[in-house]
Each structure stands twice: as structure tokens, then as C-alpha cells.
Amino acid sequence: MPEVKSIFREVLPKQGQLSMEDVPTMVLCKPKLLPLKSVTLEKLEKMQMEAQKAVKLQELAMKEQFQ
């Protein structure tokens, strides 16, 4: 491979500040784990189950009264 001479030459300052551009890179974050069911949904399901049990108990009590 033949060497290619550059038209531009590198110039470094003898005094003052030397600045350098920072190239932004991607930063990966930890994955956020979400619950399968929210707390509110669990409370609603629990309330619904309790209400269904109460209705069944009332129905059984009504059947016993009429027998």
C-alpha cells in the first residue's frame, strides 16, 4: 500500500486550552420489573370474591328457611 500524504497538517496549540468533542453514546438502564397484577386489581378481586361468598351464604340461608 503506498503512503498517502495529507494536504492538511496537524496543529496543536502551544498555550491555551485544547478542546475535544465528546460523542454521545447509548447508556442501557436496568429493566423495570412490573407486577403481573396491580395491588388495586388484587384488592378488587378480593372484594369480589368476598361479595360472592356473602351472596352464596345468603342464598343458602334463604333455602334453609323455606324448607
Side-chain angles (χ1 to χ4, degrees):
M1 249 191 211
E3 287 188 33
V4 178
K5 273 195 167 179
S6 176
I7 299 172
F8 302 105
R9 63 185 183 95
E10 186 177 302
V11 177
L12 294 174
K14 301 242 187 262
Q15 53 179 295
Q17 292 183 347
L18 178 64
S19 65
M20 192 171 137
E21 289 186 29
D22 188 26
V23 179
T25 58
M26 290 181 59
V27 177
L28 298 176
C29 300
K30 287 184 177 179
K32 305 251 187 297
L33 297 177
L34 299 173
L36 294 176
K37 289 187 179 181
S38 68
V39 175
T40 308
L41 181 61
E42 288 179 358
K43 286 181 182 178
L44 287 172
E45 286 178 345
K46 183 179 176 184
M47 288 172 53
Q48 186 177 10
M49 293 286 286
E50 289 173 355
Q52 286 176 348
K53 285 181 185 178
V55 168
K56 284 183 182 179
L57 288 174
Q58 287 177 353
E59 287 176 354
L60 288 175
M62 293 290 279
K63 285 181 182 178
E64 289 178 3
Q65 282 181 353
F66 291 115
Q67 284 183 359

